């Protein structure tokens, strides 16, 4: 089933390419993997009142507007060196070929860390990752990027327990526990992206990667919390309007493909269709509209494949879904907006609607069908006149049962993790981040604090666990954010790093983490207090703050 769909997708994409080729203009197609740490360094261009750029869709294809700032970051600290070793350590990719027609690069990507969890009984933690990446550009329009990592680690207890319980390394796919030592985790991770910028109006990307929509640290619409998935994405620009249509193939290890008696049946799969329309009204204000639908590979009648009703890249999906009078699908509609209040200060927000009943929504009685999530925040650069001192503060919240589905196989998730916020639903959270760069040094400080409500046991459902059917809700009225067993979570981390090579973010990094998780009703008080030191590379983005 996958191959016919892929071939059909490529044929459709080819049609867009042929149409787009009616105008061939100069375009830049540099692919930059998304990580908050690197992208915040682009703030002075992205969120400046002198620019009118689309900032919500990530990863970005670096175009002519971002190229000057991007190139300056790729040349940070680079000086002429005569020795081969000096050039490779500080200036260049390990292997690089450049000429007028194409470029090629390849790198070894280490991620070696050692740490000590003083609050977790004095446990030694470590990470042993060996990775590699390669990339190709042809002309100014075509790019390919791929990487691969082999990993072993001993995590702090809260992460190790998560991997052991779910067989998932957060954001990195299947994680297994070694038989000889249950604390040692073993996993592999890979990503790839093939991008073709047809002209200044259209880009076509086929990737096994992640996506993010928003201007904050979190996204209530679509985030990069979960593992990689296969996606075909069309992104078009016309004037001040940007439009993205994406179709995805995802893995669902939470619902097996066959009865447990068939141990090698493999994981199930699910599909997704996502659309986002962004309008830059002027240099200061932008507004974006979002819609998505995710459906499982099976329903009450048995197997279900890709629904080609959702394949039209320019149509609203809600009328299509409503045309099927007994549709098992649930649409998510969303709003993303930002306003540049000052030259270096931007206010942003999101609102996602999972289900809406007007009478109950405004009735204030906590009806179970009022499923929504929201975000409000501000971010800026050059704070207090200090160059490259960037900051962010935001508030996120979601009502109980948001992102869930009456059939858990069609919930808003990928590879056992939410597609939006890592806490699922039924939470409120505050986030604060400071970043400062000085020459080759980077400093960061992040803190999150939140409350969420969990279930006392497996027989109840208060709305935080999106992998449960929302038909098993506890009550129709009186639902409120944080209901159930109250959890308080504080997470802070600080990092200081020295950059060796900006081309693949090779750096030596020291960090500290403090995490406190309290469940007063159950007498749980768990702490992690850890310091780490490591040699790290790549621009990967993982979330361990849950």
């Amino acid at each position: 089933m996958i191959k016919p769909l892929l071939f059909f997708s490529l044929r459709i994409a080819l049609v867009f390419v042929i149409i787009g080729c009616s105008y061939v203009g100069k375009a830049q197609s540099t692919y930059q993997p998304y990580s908050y740490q690197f992208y915040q360094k682009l703030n002075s261009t992205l969120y400046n009142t002198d620019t009118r750029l689309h900032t919500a869709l990530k990863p970005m294809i670096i175009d002519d507007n971002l190229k000057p700032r991007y190139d300056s970051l790729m040349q940070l600290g680079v000086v002429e060196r005569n020795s081969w070793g000096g050039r490779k350590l500080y200036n260049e990719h390990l292997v690089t070929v450049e000429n007028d027609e194409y470029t090629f690069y390849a790198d070894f990507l280490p991620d070696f860390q050692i740490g000590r969890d003083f609050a977790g009984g004095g446990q030694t933690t470590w990470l042993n990752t060996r990775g590699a990446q390669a990339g190709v550009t042809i002309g100014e329009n075509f790019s390919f990027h791929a990487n691969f990592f082999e990993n072993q680690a001993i995590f702090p207890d809260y992460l190790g327990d998560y991997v052991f319980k779910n067989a998932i390394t957060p954001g990195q796919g299947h994680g297994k526990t070694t038989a000889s030592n249950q604390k040692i985790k073993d996993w592999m991770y890979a990503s790839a992206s093939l991008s073709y910028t047809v002209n200044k109006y259209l880009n076509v990307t086929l990737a096994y990667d992640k996506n993010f929509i928003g201007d904050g640290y979190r996204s209530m619409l679509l985030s990069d919390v979960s593992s990689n998935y296969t996606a075909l994405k069309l992104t078009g620009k016309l004037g001040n309007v940007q439009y993205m249509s994406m179709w995805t193939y995802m893995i669902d290890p939470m619902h097996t493909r066959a009865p447990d008696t068939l141990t090698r049946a493999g994981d199930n799969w699910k599909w997704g269709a996502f659309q986002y329309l962004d309008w830059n009204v002027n240099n200061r204000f932008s507004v974006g509209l979002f819609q998505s639908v995710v459906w499982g590979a099976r329903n009450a009648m048995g197997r279900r494949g890709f629904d080609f009703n959702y394949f039209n890249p320019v149509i609203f999906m809600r009328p299509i879904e409503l045309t099927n009078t007994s549709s098992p699908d649930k649409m998510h509609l969303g709003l993303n907006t930002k306003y540049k209040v000052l030259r270096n200060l931007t206010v942003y927000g999101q609102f996602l609607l999972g289900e809406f009943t007007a009478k109950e929504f405004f009735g204030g009685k906590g009806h179970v069908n009022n499923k929504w999530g929201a975000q409000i925040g501000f971010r800026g650069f050059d704070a207090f006149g200090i160059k490259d001192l960037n900051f962010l503060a935001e508030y996120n919240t979601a009502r109980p049962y948001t992102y869930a589905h009456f059939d858990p196989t069609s919930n808003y998730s990928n590879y056992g993790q939410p597609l939006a916020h890592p806490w699922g639903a039924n939470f409120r959270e505050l986030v604060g981040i400071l970043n400062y760069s000085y020459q080759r040094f980077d400093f960061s400080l992040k803190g999150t604090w939140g409350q969420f409500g969990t279930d006392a046991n497996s027989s109840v459902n208060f709305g935080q666990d999106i992998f449960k059917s929302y038909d098993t809700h506890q009550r129709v009225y009186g639902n409120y954010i944080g209901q159930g067993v109250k959890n308080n979570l504080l997470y802070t981390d600080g990092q200081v790093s020295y950059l060796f090579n900006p081309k693949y973010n090779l750096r030596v990094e020291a960090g500290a983490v403090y995490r406190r998780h309290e469940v007063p009703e159950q007498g749980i008080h768990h702490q992690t207090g850890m310091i780490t030191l490591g040699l790290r590379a790549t621009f990967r983005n993982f979330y361990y703050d849950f």
Side-chain angles (χ1 to χ4, degrees):
M1 169 151 328
I2 305 304
K3 289 184 178 179
L5 173 63
L6 180 59
F7 293 150
F8 182 78
S9 301
L10 292 176
R11 286 198 296 267
I12 294 296
L14 183 60
V15 171
F16 278 86
V17 171
I18 293 172
I19 294 174
C21 284
S22 60
Y23 175 90
V24 179
K26 186 175 181 179
Q28 182 56 246
S29 59
T30 303
Y31 169 82
Q32 177 57 42
Y34 175 63
S35 76
Y36 177 84
Q37 175 65 21
F38 180 80
Y39 270 59
Q40 57 87 26
K41 295 181 179 182
L42 302 172
N43 281 358
S44 58
T45 300
L46 290 174
Y47 296 99
N48 197 305
T49 52
D50 293 333
T51 64
R52 190 186 297 191
L53 303 179
H54 299 282
T55 60
L57 291 180
K58 306 173 181 80
M60 290 181 176
I61 303 299
I62 304 299
D63 59 14
D64 293 339
N65 296 304
L66 282 174
K67 204 69 168 66
R69 176 58 177 165
Y70 178 80
D71 287 344
S72 71
L73 293 172
M74 290 295 104
Q75 294 297 320
L76 184 64
V78 172
V79 297
E80 185 175 350
R81 301 178 188 273
N82 294 324
S83 69
W84 181 90
R87 294 196 308 272
K88 297 305 175 182
L89 179 60
Y90 294 104
N91 294 3
E92 303 174 357
H93 293 287
L94 181 62
V95 178
T96 181
V97 178
E98 296 185 6
N99 58 42
D100 293 338
E101 297 181 355
Y102 69 91
T103 66
F104 170 81
Y105 65 87
D107 297 293
F108 169 68
L109 303 176
D111 197 348
F112 305 135
Q113 287 182 280
I114 188 167
R116 188 76 170 174
D117 183 1
F118 295 99
Q123 175 181 230
T124 297
T125 64
W126 50 265
L127 173 66
N128 178 13
T129 292
R130 294 84 59 208
Q133 72 170 3
V136 175
T137 65
I138 300 177
E140 295 182 324
N141 302 79
F142 175 85
S143 66
F144 172 76
H145 174 87
N147 56 42
F148 173 81
F149 300 88
E150 170 69 20
N151 316 267
Q152 291 83 36
I154 290 182
F155 290 120
D157 286 343
Y158 82 97
L159 276 177
D161 292 344
Y162 180 92
V163 178
F164 181 79
K165 177 182 177 182
N166 299 285
I168 296 169
T169 304
Q172 300 166 77
H174 177 65
K176 61 183 180 181
T177 301
T178 61
S180 59
N181 186 341
Q182 288 195 354
K183 285 189 173 294
I184 298 178
K185 312 303 177 185
D186 190 356
W187 73 100
M188 291 186 290
Y189 176 85
S191 62
S193 176
L194 187 156
S195 173
Y196 182 64
T197 301
V198 181
N199 51 49
K200 66 180 182 179
Y201 301 121
L202 177 65
N203 174 269
V204 182
T205 299
L206 181 63
Y208 181 70
D209 204 350
K210 306 179 183 185
N211 294 273
F212 186 99
I213 296 178
D215 292 285
Y217 174 68
R218 308 285 197 195
S219 176
M220 307 301 290
L221 306 182
L222 178 64
S223 80
D224 59 334
V225 166
S226 70
S227 303
N228 290 341
Y229 47 86
T230 300
L232 173 66
K233 179 167 58 176
L234 306 179
T235 306
K237 293 181 183 179
L238 185 62
N240 295 317
V241 176
Q242 181 187 56
Y243 180 73
M244 182 274 289
S245 194
M246 180 172 68
W247 304 270
T248 65
Y249 171 80
M250 303 174 179
I251 301 297
D252 183 7
M254 308 298 286
H255 304 93
T256 57
R257 188 176 299 185
D260 293 339
T261 53
L262 299 178
T263 57
R264 304 296 292 182
D267 296 328
N268 217 322
W269 65 85
K270 62 200 308 181
W271 311 92
F274 305 82
Q275 294 177 353
Y276 181 72
L277 177 68
D278 192 45
W279 177 32
N280 285 335
V281 180
N282 52 44
N283 281 17
R284 291 182 180 267
F285 179 61
S286 71
V287 59
L289 302 177
F290 171 81
Q291 61 176 348
S292 70
V293 58
V294 175
W295 66 97
R298 69 168 186 255
N299 56 25
M301 295 303 295
R303 287 292 169 197
R304 184 185 182 194
F306 185 85
D307 191 334
F308 285 92
N309 288 310
Y310 297 128
F311 203 79
N312 190 318
V314 294
I315 197 170
F316 289 107
M317 293 185 290
R318 179 59 171 166
I320 296 175
E321 189 263 338
L322 285 175
T323 300
N324 184 348
T325 57
S326 58
S327 171
D329 300 331
K330 179 166 289 298
M331 306 296 303
H332 286 104
L333 304 177
L335 174 72
N336 183 82
T337 186
K338 73 174 186 288
Y339 183 76
K340 301 173 185 176
V341 181
L342 303 173
R343 184 192 68 85
N344 64 338
L345 177 65
T346 297
V347 176
Y348 61 88
Q350 291 185 334
F351 184 77
L352 177 127
L353 195 61
E355 193 166 351
F356 175 77
T357 304
K359 176 183 176 181
E360 305 296 351
F361 186 86
F362 298 105
K365 296 181 180 180
H367 195 277
V368 68
N369 287 346
N370 290 331
K371 304 180 180 74
W372 53 263
Q375 175 188 87
I376 183 70
F378 61 87
R379 65 184 303 163
F381 59 92
D382 298 350
F384 309 111
I386 302 174
K387 181 175 172 56
D388 295 328
L389 177 59
N390 297 340
F391 58 92
L392 176 145
E394 74 182 32
Y395 174 76
N396 303 294
T397 188
R399 278 189 53 80
Y401 311 104
T402 306
Y403 307 110
H405 194 277
F406 65 80
D407 179 358
T409 63
S410 296
N411 68 350
Y412 203 61
S413 73
N414 165 57
Y415 211 91
Q417 288 188 275
L419 278 167
H421 196 284
W423 292 357
N426 192 26
F427 69 85
R428 55 177 64 90
E429 177 197 37
L430 290 169
V431 179
I433 305 176
L434 279 175
N435 296 94
Y436 177 60
S437 298
Y438 177 74
Q439 297 180 358
R440 289 179 178 265
F441 287 96
D442 282 324
F443 305 87
S444 70
L445 180 63
K446 179 182 69 179
T448 68
W449 177 87
Q451 293 182 332
F452 54 92
T454 55
D455 304 327
N457 54 66
S458 59
S459 64
V460 298
N461 182 9
F462 282 100
Q464 187 265 345
D465 187 352
I466 68 171
F467 295 93
K468 291 183 177 180
S469 169
Y470 63 61
D471 281 346
T472 62
H473 57 261
Q474 296 305 111
R475 49 184 174 258
V476 176
Y477 290 97
N479 294 282
Y480 58 90
I481 295 173
Q483 67 182 12
V485 179
K486 182 180 179 181
N487 289 247
N488 300 317
L489 182 60
L490 171 69
Y491 185 97
T492 62
D493 70 48
Q495 296 173 351
V496 56
S497 64
Y498 180 81
L499 183 67
F500 287 122
N501 193 316
K503 298 297 190 298
Y504 54 101
N505 203 23
L506 178 66
R507 65 201 186 275
V508 60
E509 180 180 278
V513 172
Y514 178 72
R515 178 184 183 271
R516 187 177 71 238
H517 180 205
E518 297 177 331
V519 189
E521 184 178 318
Q522 298 178 354
I524 295 175
H525 181 87
H526 182 271
Q527 294 187 85
T528 298
M530 186 170 60
I531 60 172
T532 60
L533 179 66
L535 177 68
R536 316 196 66 187
T538 82
F539 300 95
R540 298 184 298 164
N541 204 42
F542 301 130
Y543 298 85
Y544 296 151
D545 51 354
F546 61 89

